[in-house]
């Protein structure tokens, strides 16, 4: 049984005030995020679906996947989405030393900087976006979060988990997880991964259509949105 809530309780957010759980806004806007890419076929499909609704999102990329699929990563960048650091090897913080965790994050930071600076879409806005960080599995030790914050990152957690990776739930349930719990400023977690695609393929178009009809915008997390 999964004891992780779809919507992060307010008391949990209050325990970790240095993390970003949602965006403070009075506007009708939500923040879609995609973890674990870039992934062949899946990430390109996500980019296309977002384009259909003029939606922007934030992609928390695994460094090793960027090295494997740099052309897909460049398509994410050229489509105007924000980029975040998700470590190089998708490390589980609770089972990793703080030194290894920090070095792994720095390795991805250097890679992201090289990739962004080589992109034709590189500009002053993109140059700061790689300072977004999401810990894989949401598991990070206090010593690790302190080190990551010291590197100048904003640590982005979430308001809503879609559970798209969970093979025990239906695609319909995945969509309902989001539609039943999202508010203005919600940060929503999807995964552009092979494992999640069965649920993602159904849920993402439903979410994009539902909130677009309600007049919401889908925005990327940027320095400006965090100010």
């Amino acid at each position: 049984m999964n004891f992780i809530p779809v919507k992060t309780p307010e008391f949990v957010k209050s325990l970790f005030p240095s993390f970003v759980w949602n965006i403070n806004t009075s506007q009708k806007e939500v923040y879609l995020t995609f973890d674990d890419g870039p992934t062949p076929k899946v990430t390109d499909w996500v980019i296309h679906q977002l384009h259909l609704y003029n939606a922007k999102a934030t992609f928390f990329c695994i460094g090793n996947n960027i090295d494997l699929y740099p052309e897909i990563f460049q398509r994410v960048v050229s489509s105007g989405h924000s980029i975040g650091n998700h470590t190089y090897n998708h490390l589980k913080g609770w089972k990793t030393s703080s030194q290894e965790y920090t070095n792994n994050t720095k390795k991805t930071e250097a890679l992201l900087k090289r990739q962004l600076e080589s992109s034709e879409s590189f500009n002053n806005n993109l140059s700061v976006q790689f300072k977004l960080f999401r810990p894989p599995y949401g598991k990070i030790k206090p010593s690790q979060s302190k080190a990551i914050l010291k590197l100048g990152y904003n640590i982005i957690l979430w308001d809503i988990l879609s559970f798209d990776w969970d093979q025990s739930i239906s695609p319909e349930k995945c969509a309902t997880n989001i539609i039943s719990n999202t508010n203005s400023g919600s940060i929503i977690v999807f995964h552009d991964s092979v494992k999640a695609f069965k649920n993602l393929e159904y849920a993402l178009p439903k979410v994009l259509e539902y909130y677009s009809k309600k007049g919401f915008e889908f925005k990327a997390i940027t320095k400006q949105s965090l100010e």
Side-chain angles (χ1 to χ4, degrees), residues 100-170:
E100 180 184 354
Y101 195 86
T102 303
N103 288 342
N104 204 265
T105 300
K106 287 180 177 179
K107 182 177 181 179
T108 303
E109 177 177 324
L111 173 60
L112 285 170
K113 188 171 184 179
R114 291 194 304 272
Q115 286 285 337
L116 289 170
E117 288 178 345
S118 67
S119 170
E120 294 180 0
S121 304
F122 180 79
N123 56 44
N124 289 334
N125 188 35
L126 284 174
S127 70
V128 301
Q129 291 181 1
F130 67 88
K131 285 297 186 179
L132 302 174
F133 178 82
R134 174 170 285 158
Y137 313 100
K139 296 179 178 180
I140 186 170
K141 298 174 185 175
S143 58
Q144 293 164 347
S145 64
K146 184 178 180 180
I148 299 301
L149 289 168
K150 192 173 181 180
L151 291 173
Y153 281 94
N154 294 284
I155 299 178
I156 312 296
L157 273 292
W158 55 78
D159 184 39
I160 307 293
L161 279 175
S162 70
F163 284 90
D164 55 349
W165 75 90
D166 189 341
Q167 302 296 299
S168 70
I169 72 167
S170 68

Side-chain angles (χ1 to χ4, degrees), residues 25-226:
T25 179
S26 60
Q27 303 302 309
K28 296 178 74 171
E29 53 194 36
V30 292
Y31 292 79
L32 301 178
T33 66
F34 297 87
D35 291 3
D36 297 355
T39 306
K41 298 183 180 179
V42 179
T43 302
D44 280 326
W45 178 87
V46 170
I47 293 171
H48 177 66
Q49 295 302 312
L50 295 173
H51 176 72
L52 293 177
Y53 290 87
N54 194 30
K56 299 303 179 187
T58 305
F59 289 75
F60 288 93
C61 298
I62 296 172
N64 186 55
N65 284 349
I66 297 172
D67 269 336
L68 289 172
Y69 311 111
E71 69 288 346
I72 304 176
F73 175 81
Q74 288 296 339
R75 285 197 284 275
V76 175
V77 175
S78 65
S79 298
H81 303 294
S82 293
I83 303 298
N85 189 328
H86 203 46
T87 75
Y88 191 85
N89 298 108
H90 203 257
L91 296 182
K92 185 175 291 186
W94 295 355
K95 294 186 177 182
T96 309
S97 72
S98 294
Q99 187 63 55
E100 180 184 354
Y101 195 86
T102 303
N103 288 342
N104 204 265
T105 300
K106 287 180 177 179
K107 182 177 181 179
T108 303
E109 177 177 324
L111 173 60
L112 285 170
K113 188 171 184 179
R114 291 194 304 272
Q115 286 285 337
L116 289 170
E117 288 178 345
S118 67
S119 170
E120 294 180 0
S121 304
F122 180 79
N123 56 44
N124 289 334
N125 188 35
L126 284 174
S127 70
V128 301
Q129 291 181 1
F130 67 88
K131 285 297 186 179
L132 302 174
F133 178 82
R134 174 170 285 158
Y137 313 100
K139 296 179 178 180
I140 186 170
K141 298 174 185 175
S143 58
Q144 293 164 347
S145 64
K146 184 178 180 180
I148 299 301
L149 289 168
K150 192 173 181 180
L151 291 173
Y153 281 94
N154 294 284
I155 299 178
I156 312 296
L157 273 292
W158 55 78
D159 184 39
I160 307 293
L161 279 175
S162 70
F163 284 90
D164 55 349
W165 75 90
D166 189 341
Q167 302 296 299
S168 70
I169 72 167
S170 68
E172 293 80 7
K173 174 61 174 172
C174 181
T176 300
N177 282 342
I178 299 168
I179 291 171
S180 298
N181 291 284
T182 294
N183 307 112
S184 292
S186 287
I187 296 173
I188 300 166
V189 177
F190 280 116
H191 295 77
D192 53 328
S193 66
V194 172
K195 183 179 182 181
F197 190 63
K198 174 179 73 74
N199 288 332
L200 178 68
E201 186 178 24
Y202 177 87
L204 179 58
K206 294 292 185 185
V207 169
L208 288 167
E209 179 183 21
Y210 180 86
Y211 285 100
S212 292
K213 286 182 175 178
K214 288 187 170 293
F216 279 77
E217 287 185 83
F218 296 93
K219 292 192 171 183
I221 300 171
T222 64
K223 182 179 180 181
Q224 290 72 29
S225 64
L226 295 173

